[in-house]
């Protein structure tokens, strides 16, 4: 809702509100995935994937910083980038009963990373062709991939922020 209001009004406060809502959803995912990972560190459970996601989050933040990211938004965007990197790392590290569920969840996390990367790049660096289509399809792919997590309320909580 915040991102839509910002795009209609141009008010940066709405962008930050949307960012905050999605960050809360990612924190809920992190809590659920940590529980399923047996509270094991993602860097121990899935070191390569976790490290790559965290490095990408830091790299992409630097891309945004070199773009048109206003100084006032730098810290919230950095916190969000780290939260999605950690969420992705825990998504890879979780240990569900079925391997297909783990794969779907990891692909869902990667879909969120792509969706948010397109949003950030399109907003602060340069226009992305067909950005809305890319954002929508990867966002909903992320929801589908991560919708099989336990507890099921994580999926409902995340949809409530959309």
């Amino acid at each position: 809702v915040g991102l839509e209001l910002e795009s209609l009004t141009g008010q940066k406060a709405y962008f930050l509100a949307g960012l905050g809502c999605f960050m809360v959803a990612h924190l809920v995912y992190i809590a659920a995935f940590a529980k399923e990972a047996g509270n094991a560190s993602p860097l121990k459970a899935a070191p390569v994937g976790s490290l790559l996601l965290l490095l990408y989050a830091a790299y992409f933040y630097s891309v945004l910083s070199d773009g048109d990211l206003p100084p006032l938004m730098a810290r919230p965007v950095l916190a969000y980038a780290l939260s999605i990197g950690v969420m992705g790392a825990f998504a890879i590290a979780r240990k569900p009963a079925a391997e297909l569920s783990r794969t779907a969840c990891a692909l869902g996390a990667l879909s969120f990373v792509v969706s948010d990367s397109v949003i950030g790049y399109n907003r602060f660096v340069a226009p992305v062709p067909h950005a809305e289509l890319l954002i929508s399809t990867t966002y909903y792919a992320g929801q589908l991939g991560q919708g099989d997590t336990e507890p099921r309320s994580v999926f409902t909580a995340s949809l409530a922020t959309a």
Side-chain angles (χ1 to χ4, degrees), residues 18 43 48 53 64-65 82 94 103 116 120 137 150 156:
L43 291 173
V48 174
L53 271 168
L64 296 179
S65 294
L82 291 174
R94 64 188 280 266
T103 302
D116 289 348
T137 54
E150 294 298 330
T156 306

Side-chain angles (χ1 to χ4, degrees), residues 29 104-105 108 112 138-149 155:
Y29 274 127
C105 185
F112 277 134
T138 53
Y139 171 78
Y140 287 109
Q143 290 292 8
L144 288 172
Q146 293 189 337
D148 191 33
T149 60
F155 183 63

Side-chain angles (χ1 to χ4, degrees), residues 55-115:
L55 288 173
Y56 176 78
Y59 164 76
F60 195 73
Y61 174 74
S62 73
V63 169
L64 296 179
S65 294
D66 290 343
D68 195 25
L69 181 65
L72 184 64
M73 298 175 104
R75 286 187 179 158
V77 169
L78 175 60
Y80 184 82
L82 291 174
S83 75
I84 198 164
V86 170
M87 181 275 300
F90 272 105
I92 292 169
R94 64 188 280 266
K95 298 173 183 163
E99 185 61 30
L100 180 60
S101 177
R102 179 181 183 180
T103 302
C105 185
L107 290 174
L110 291 175
S111 292
F112 277 134
V113 170
V114 170
S115 175

